[in-house]
Amino acid sequence: MATADSSSSFVQILLSAASMLLVFVSAALLAHRNDLGWWTLILGVFVGPVITSMQFDLLGLIYAVPLLLIAIFGLWRFSRFELKGKFTRVVTSTAVTPWSALGLLVGLVLLVALRFGPFLFNGGYMSATPEIWVLYFADAAIFASFVMVARGVRAGWLVLAVAAVADLVVYFLISPMLGMMGLFVFIALAAAYGYFLWRGLPAQAAEPVQVELDEEELALQKAKQATMDKLNAKTEK
């Protein structure tokens, strides 16, 4: 029985490592604003949280599915940016607002709550150690940071870097696995690289829809003026 438990733990660690490796590749691609980064992130969520839940505990899907939706949202949101070449997007910079910061915080709390699953309702979360709390929040922040990246928020890279470093510290304290620690180092470096590359992003353009509306209003006013001129000409005759 002990052998079976050890085998299950090894498989879960392997899936988690594969997932984080794909997160690193995703971050490296998205640093260059490459659409393939989102497909890599989708694969990373599927390989890690989704397969782990389906193989060991289906209740874990209540946490895995939102992570998958985050990756899909990123793919959709990036599609709204202009395409340059085959896969590169012309991403425009979006500023952090108090509402977006609040939304990130609320999203993190919700993801952590979903991570605890049924333990949130039976009081099991109260016995969680500080390391577990940090680990859960850091894991949630890794994926939540991609929502900011998808919107062109440069600070999202900083959130990803801090989350990766927090995971690195926790793994060092409770389970010093060199493989996992190395992956978080690479994720933090990829996040720093993304933050550096995104320093020159153009600011988000003014509302193009409003410009179109102004042009339509101008054309309408010209048409009205032309009609009035015709009526005045007929009246003078």
Side-chain angles (χ1 to χ4, degrees):
M1 188 68 180
T3 303
D5 290 341
S6 299
S7 177
S8 297
S9 298
F10 176 76
V11 171
Q12 292 183 54
I13 292 172
L14 188 62
L15 290 173
S16 179
S19 178
M20 289 299 103
L21 176 60
L22 289 168
V23 168
F24 159 67
V25 175
S26 172
L29 287 169
L30 290 174
H32 290 276
R33 307 177 304 282
N34 193 314
D35 272 340
L36 294 178
W38 296 112
W39 291 106
T40 308
L41 186 62
I42 290 172
L43 183 60
V45 175
F46 188 79
V47 166
V50 173
I51 290 183
T52 299
S53 300
M54 294 177 67
Q55 187 170 358
F56 299 104
D57 184 7
L58 286 175
L59 289 175
L61 286 174
I62 64 174
Y63 174 70
V65 170
L67 298 186
L68 194 60
L69 292 177
I70 287 175
I72 293 173
F73 167 79
L75 181 64
W76 168 80
R77 185 63 178 78
F78 246 46
S79 69
R80 300 181 63 185
F81 293 120
E82 179 186 348
L83 186 63
K84 181 180 180 181
K86 287 187 176 180
F87 303 108
T88 304
R89 296 286 174 177
V90 182
V91 178
T92 55
S93 177
T94 303
V96 179
T97 65
W99 284 111
S100 62
L102 179 62
L104 175 65
L105 181 59
V106 171
L108 287 177
V109 172
L110 288 176
L111 285 176
V112 172
L114 293 175
R115 180 73 177 271
F116 276 110
F119 295 105
L120 191 67
F121 302 101
N122 61 17
Y125 71 95
M126 297 181 68
S127 60
T129 62
E131 291 82 4
I132 294 298
W133 279 101
V134 173
L135 185 67
Y136 280 13
F137 267 101
D139 286 348
I142 282 179
F143 291 99
S145 67
F146 283 98
V147 175
M148 302 177 71
V149 171
R151 296 179 56 247
V153 180
R154 188 184 177 209
W157 294 111
L158 293 180
V159 174
L160 177 59
V162 171
V165 170
D167 265 329
L168 171 64
V169 171
V170 172
Y171 271 93
F172 178 77
L173 292 175
I174 65 176
S175 183
M177 295 180 289
L178 293 179
M180 290 298 294
M181 290 169 61
L183 286 171
F184 289 119
V185 169
F186 283 123
I187 290 174
L189 290 175
Y193 180 59
Y195 184 78
F196 174 76
L197 287 185
W198 281 34
R199 70 192 185 284
L201 289 186
Q204 189 173 18
E207 295 291 335
V209 177
Q210 186 62 44
V211 173
E212 292 176 3
L213 288 177
D214 290 344
E215 291 177 353
E216 291 178 2
E217 289 177 0
L218 183 61
L220 185 59
Q221 288 177 3
K222 288 181 177 180
K224 287 181 179 180
Q225 186 62 42
T227 304
M228 291 297 296
D229 290 342
K230 289 181 180 179
L231 290 175
N232 291 334
K234 289 181 179 179
T235 302
E236 290 177 358
K237 291 179 180 179

